[in-house]
Amino acid sequence: MTIEDRVGELVPKWREERARILEEKGDHILGECTVAAAFGGMRGLKSMICETSEVDANVGLSIRGHFLLDILDLWPEQTFLLLLTGEIEPLDGELVADFRRQMDVRARVPSYVFDVLRAMPKDSHPMAMLNTGILVMERESAFRAAYAEGMSKEDYWLPTLEDSLTLLARAPGVAAMAYRLKYDKGEPIAWTPGLDWGANFAKMLGIPDPSGDFAKLMRVFLHFHCDHEAGNVSANACHTVGSALSDAYYAVSAGLNGLAGPLHGLANQNVLSWLLETMERFGGAPTNEQIRDFAFETLRAGQVIPGYGHPVLRVTDPRFTGFLRFGQQHCADDPLFQTVNRIYETVPKVLEEYSAEREREGRGPIANFWPNVDAGSGALIYHYGLTEIAFYTVLFSVSRCMGLLSQLIWNRAVGTPITRPKSVSLKFLDKLA
Ligand code: NMX
Ligand code: MLT
């Protein structure tokens, strides 16, 4: 069986379920939109549908109902299939084999992508390079071609799946190409047929990996960052653009442009800068007391502590916990990793104290003092020799393509309409009774 066959079997069930729930529950109220919520980034406002994953404030990410800490060992091929179909495929299952076969067939990055990336100014951010690389391949969209030929609405999901598989196959190659160009690492390294998705990515980056542990880290990294329900900036942006029937290349590139922001995916780069700055200041792994002073200094300079806080979570992010476990197993003696641990021991208390101070001054509290996904991942990547920190969000992006695309396929399959909330003016609000 192929991935297309399996999704083809699921599509009628998804449609039926959506129609039934709409029929039975269409009038139920999910939440109220207060004026404060409209001003405040719609935080917590339940107003989107997402089947691929869910983020509970008190436990964090579940992928299709499986709590992340219960499925830490999935390989990214399994992660994508789980997001897409809701089923955990064994690693030797036929859909994993089909995914790998499709990656092998589709992975070659066209030479025009290299030409475009090479023509970009040297100081371009790697995220701008990745997103340009994705966008420039839009000319190959199967969805766009089928739409122009008058495809029926019923069939939208199929060329979207086709585009998704091509994008997933090429994203590691485009990312690795951007890395090697930007940091003068030499010619791009080609995809190796037969090698898994994560190890292929590690190999194309060209980081020496005699132990195979960097490839292991890449598999874990790609798995953990895959998806975080629908309301986060990148998923929301991808969804909105996709809802206009812009194809997967447009939609994913839009989503990843959102991931490039420092309050979202760029935080992993900023965490590493902050970590390195701390270590430089104190000539090695700082003590908890030194971290505390440095954290207060950062906050008093009007900056955020990167990697801490979250719009939804109110506990330690299980993805951070997963990375801590990996670090404990593979690089427990690395001073950088030890500093991540000490920051974890120190910063939540600092944020709690600072939040109380803010409240005394009449500013709002900090809602969450705990680490998010970005607080620990960078130190592990750095440990294995990928030290160009501006590249870290690109690694996050390659993984996040899985979530963005599986959400897009589901929405195409069930015919989710164009997104169009209503805006109001200050004058309108002022007149409210
Ligand atoms: N350090 C300092 N201040 C913080 C932090 C932090 N880590 N987290 C929140 N605050 C402040 C926030 O800036 C806001 O201040 P102000 O009212 O002066 O604008 C106040 O606390 C209230 O914000 P919250 O309601 O706690 O958080 P919100 O939902 O608005 O924002 C983040 C969530 C993630 C944007 C915020 O916690 C943050 O900026 N964290 C640091 C950046 C980061 O790690 N981002 C990565 C998120 C995960 N990801 O991968 O995308
Ligand atoms: C994510 O992984 O997308 C982030 O944790 C941000 C979010 O969920 O809002």
Side-chain angles (χ1 to χ4, degrees):
M1 177 178 282
T2 65
I3 295 172
E4 285 88 343
D5 292 339
R6 182 65 192 127
V7 176
E9 285 176 349
L10 291 169
V11 166
K13 294 182 188 147
W14 294 346
R15 288 178 180 160
E16 257 172 55
E17 213 182 347
R18 175 189 182 272
R20 180 184 59 77
I21 289 179
L22 200 51
E23 167 80 22
E24 291 173 6
K25 306 278 163 72
D27 293 335
H28 283 236
I29 291 168
L30 273 180
E32 270 181 316
C33 185
T34 59
V35 173
F39 273 114
M42 295 175 281
R43 200 76 75 256
L45 190 66
K46 295 190 181 80
S47 51
M48 298 181 80
I49 314 290
C50 180
E51 281 291 272
T52 55
S53 69
E54 193 181 337
V55 180
D56 182 293
N58 298 313
V59 293
L61 175 66
S62 298
I63 306 174
R64 290 275 190 176
H66 298 271
F67 178 41
L68 182 75
L69 293 182
D70 294 334
I71 51 166
L72 284 179
D73 295 333
L74 289 196
W75 286 38
E77 288 85 341
Q78 296 172 294
T79 313
F80 175 66
L81 291 168
L82 175 60
L83 286 163
L84 187 62
T85 66
E87 293 143 5
I88 297 185
E89 279 281 311
L91 250 192
D92 60 359
E94 59 179 332
L95 289 187
V96 170
D98 185 54
F99 181 87
R100 289 188 174 162
R101 185 190 60 76
Q102 299 227 33
M103 295 300 103
D104 285 352
V105 172
R106 297 168 187 268
R108 201 187 66 78
V109 177
S111 61
Y112 64 80
V113 176
F114 183 71
D115 296 340
V116 169
L117 297 193
R118 195 174 37 190
M120 289 179 77
K122 196 70 186 154
D123 61 354
S124 301
H125 193 278
M127 281 301 288
M129 295 176 80
L130 174 73
N131 293 342
T132 303
I134 289 174
L135 203 52
V136 79
M137 293 191 294
E138 190 279 334
R139 57 185 284 281
E140 300 186 44
S141 167
F143 182 88
R144 197 213 317 158
Y147 193 86
E149 280 166 23
M151 154 181 62
S152 154
K153 282 184 179 180
E154 294 288 301
D155 299 331
Y156 285 174
W157 67 271
L158 189 55
T160 302
L161 175 58
E162 167 95 23
D163 283 346
S164 300
L165 291 169
T166 306
L167 256 171
L168 286 175
R170 292 186 187 169
V174 176
M177 193 180 265
Y179 176 71
R180 298 184 65 76
L181 264 171
K182 165 93 184 162
Y183 300 110
D184 299 318
K185 301 283 180 184
E187 289 298 306
I189 299 169
W191 176 270
T192 306
L195 197 59
D196 63 273
W197 200 58
N200 243 309
F201 189 25
K203 191 169 174 193
M204 286 188 288
L205 289 165
I207 307 295
D209 186 24
S211 65
D213 283 353
F214 180 63
K216 256 188 221 161
L217 174 63
M218 277 301 103
R219 288 187 197 109
V220 167
F221 192 98
L222 292 169
H223 172 40
F224 288 2
H225 288 85
C226 65
D227 200 35
H228 223 228
E229 64 175 42
N232 67 75
V233 168
S234 47
N236 198 346
C238 179
H239 174 73
T240 302
V241 171
S243 80
L245 295 185
S246 303
D247 60 55
Y249 295 84
Y250 284 128
V252 166
S253 175
L256 298 182
N257 284 330
L259 198 69
L263 296 188
H264 194 13
L266 202 79
N268 63 4
Q269 159 182 340
N270 294 342
V271 166
L272 234 276
S273 323
W274 196 77
L275 258 172
L276 294 173
E277 216 182 302
T278 318
M279 292 183 70
E280 199 178 304
R281 166 83 70 93
F282 300 107
T287 62
N288 291 29
E289 200 46 45
Q290 287 168 329
I291 291 169
R292 184 184 153 80
D293 291 347
F294 195 66
F296 269 114
E297 195 180 311
T298 304
L299 293 167
R300 301 237 151 85
Q303 294 163 25
V304 295
I305 309 279
Y308 282 75
H310 198 273
V312 178
L313 291 169
R314 297 296 174 260
V315 290
T316 294
D317 191 328
R319 299 171 295 179
F320 174 80
T321 307
F323 281 126
L324 269 195
R325 287 190 194 165
F326 186 97
Q328 275 144 10
Q329 282 161 13
H330 292 90
C331 56
D333 297 336
D334 183 337
L336 198 59
F337 178 68
Q338 288 170 349
T339 305
V340 168
N341 277 298
R342 284 184 198 163
I343 290 174
Y344 183 34
E345 285 162 9
T346 313
V347 161
K349 183 83 188 65
V350 169
L351 286 175
E352 192 179 348
E353 281 177 42
Y354 187 66
S355 178
E357 197 176 305
R358 281 174 53 112
E359 289 202 84
R360 283 195 295 276
E361 289 166 2
R363 296 147 75 203
I366 296 173
N368 177 37
F369 312 136
W370 301 102
N372 60 58
V373 66
D374 295 320
S377 57
L380 302 178
I381 299 162
Y382 200 92
H383 174 82
Y384 288 105
L386 203 169
T387 54
E388 295 83 3
I389 62 177
F391 191 72
Y392 291 5
T393 310
V394 174
L395 303 172
F396 188 156
S397 301
V398 171
S399 164
R400 189 50 63 92
C401 285
M402 294 193 280
L404 301 183
L405 289 165
S406 45
Q407 291 191 27
L408 191 68
I409 294 163
W410 188 87
N411 280 295
R412 285 282 201 273
V414 302
T416 303
I418 189 165
T419 298
R420 180 53 168 98
K422 180 83 184 88
S423 54
V424 294
S425 64
L426 291 184
K427 207 167 168 184
F428 172 94
L429 295 177
D430 211 22
K431 282 191 195 145
L432 290 177

